[in-house]
Amino acid sequence: MMDVLVIGKSGQLAASLLEAERPPGIRMTASEPPELDLADEASIQRAFDSAKPDLVVNAAAYTAVDRAESEPDLAYAINAAGPGVIAALCQNNRIPLIHISTDYVFDGTATRPYRETDPAKPLGIYGLSKYEGERRISAICERHLIFRTSWLYSPFGHNFVKTMIRLGAERDELRIVSDQIGNPTYAPHLADAILKVMVRLKNDKISDDIWGLYHASAMGEASWHDFACEVFNQIESSGGVAPKVTPITTQDYPTPARRPANSRLDCSKLKNTFDVHFPNWRDGVRECIARLGE
């Protein structure tokens, strides 16, 4: 039996992991504040002592991209210092660590999807704090897997899809940014990918060269405008009513934090190493809208 500690119980990815069909021989427990607070080193130690895990998945993060600009200390505590403590505990106990990071470690100036070997150049505090978390983990914990994902959404918590549905019910027209592109990723699909990796870690004799950094996001690309249009296409196909969705530029919608114009991720390394295939992002939107409509 492999006992897995999932950090961030109510987050989109953790919730998706906990509801997914569990592979044989894998048992999960989950923690979040107040029992495990990434800004509180003592609480992390207590959670480890209680769970006695064979594998840790850190799916928790400070994800308020704009608010991070005015709360840098909290963002760094949760996204960098906390993961560093987790990494040290995993290293000391020879426990593998799976950590979730973000496409926002890049500045968006590339003209192709980003590879793991491309230099990170975050534009804001959120991306900087997440990248510092990556750096600490890779420096401390030998047996780590860092999965950068992008534009995560699900039936759980707060996300772009649920915001569009709410605003679409309130307004006749939505103005959505069309000059930022990425890979909208359905959290249950990411959870399935992580579970597949867990099975490999449990059953195989893993070579040392598999540890490290991977990109993990949906197939296909979209702008935020494309993403919104697909949400409302699915709603209309189910008999609902959709607002007009008007494309605008980033300059038309200023925010406290700068965002990368291109945050597409090249996931071929994950596919080649673990045989993980993500569905197209539109499949995720269809599944999500169907779940929310139940």
Side-chain angles (χ1 to χ4, degrees):
M1 180 66 66
M2 173 186 276
D3 286 307
V4 180
L5 172 61
V6 179
I7 300 172
K9 180 164 55 177
S10 62
Q12 295 188 79
L13 177 57
S16 299
L17 279 168
L18 294 170
E19 78 156 14
E21 183 177 350
R22 207 69 46 80
I26 292 178
R27 181 167 54 202
M28 290 189 195
T29 59
S31 293
E32 65 177 0
E35 65 264 25
L36 194 161
D37 183 347
L38 287 182
D40 178 358
E41 182 173 348
S43 77
I44 300 173
Q45 179 70 67
R46 287 194 299 271
F48 268 69
D49 292 342
S50 174
K52 297 179 174 57
D54 302 305
L55 171 71
V56 174
V57 178
N58 181 28
Y62 180 109
T63 58
V65 176
D66 288 322
R67 195 165 69 239
E69 298 299 307
S70 59
E71 295 182 340
D73 291 346
L74 183 57
Y76 272 91
I78 294 172
N79 291 343
V85 173
I86 294 168
L89 288 168
C90 287
Q91 177 67 15
N92 292 341
N93 293 280
R94 299 298 297 164
I95 300 169
L97 169 61
I98 296 175
H99 175 77
I100 311 304
S101 192
T102 176
D103 55 326
Y104 277 32
V105 300
F106 296 115
D107 65 5
T109 58
T111 57
R112 55 163 174 76
Y114 281 95
R115 305 183 184 108
E116 291 85 352
T117 52
D118 290 323
K121 298 179 181 178
L123 297 175
I125 297 297
Y126 168 67
L128 285 164
S129 64
K130 289 295 289 182
Y131 181 54
E132 178 61 20
E134 291 184 10
R135 291 180 65 251
R136 295 190 188 196
I137 288 168
S138 60
I140 294 169
C141 183
E142 295 172 3
R143 303 173 73 205
H144 71 269
L145 296 171
I146 296 171
F147 292 152
R148 289 176 180 156
T149 193
S150 60
W151 298 22
L152 209 62
Y153 66 96
S154 71
F156 314 109
H158 301 287
N159 56 67
F160 182 80
V161 169
K162 294 176 76 174
T163 297
M164 289 300 99
I165 293 171
R166 175 177 58 81
L167 293 178
E170 298 170 355
R171 305 177 189 177
D172 295 328
E173 179 182 4
L174 300 180
R175 291 160 51 83
I176 307 297
V177 169
S178 63
D179 58 356
Q180 297 171 20
I181 55 173
N183 311 108
T185 303
Y186 188 43
H189 290 167
L190 179 57
D192 289 343
I194 292 172
L195 287 169
K196 189 169 186 177
V197 171
M198 283 185 194
V199 171
R200 281 282 304 275
L201 295 179
K202 177 180 182 294
N203 296 336
D204 291 359
K205 291 183 177 179
I206 300 298
S207 60
D208 289 340
D209 60 0
I210 68 104
W211 305 110
L213 176 64
Y214 293 84
H215 289 171
S217 61
M219 294 289 292
E221 64 184 56
S223 68
W224 292 109
H225 177 264
D226 297 330
F227 194 2
C229 286
E230 185 62 22
V231 169
F232 292 116
N233 286 342
Q234 294 297 328
I235 288 174
E236 285 187 314
S237 69
S238 302
V241 177
K244 178 182 179 181
V245 184
T246 301
I248 61 172
T249 67
T250 298
Q251 285 187 326
D252 295 327
Y253 188 71
T255 56
R258 294 171 60 203
R259 287 160 167 79
N262 167 36
S263 62
R264 295 171 296 165
L265 300 176
D266 182 332
C267 301
S268 56
K269 180 183 175 184
L270 182 67
K271 178 181 176 181
N272 294 336
T273 304
F274 291 104
D275 193 29
V276 168
H277 304 263
F278 275 85
N280 186 273
W281 69 272
R282 295 180 190 274
D283 296 334
V285 174
R286 183 176 64 251
E287 291 179 31
C288 188
I289 296 299
R291 279 282 304 273
L292 292 169
E294 290 175 354

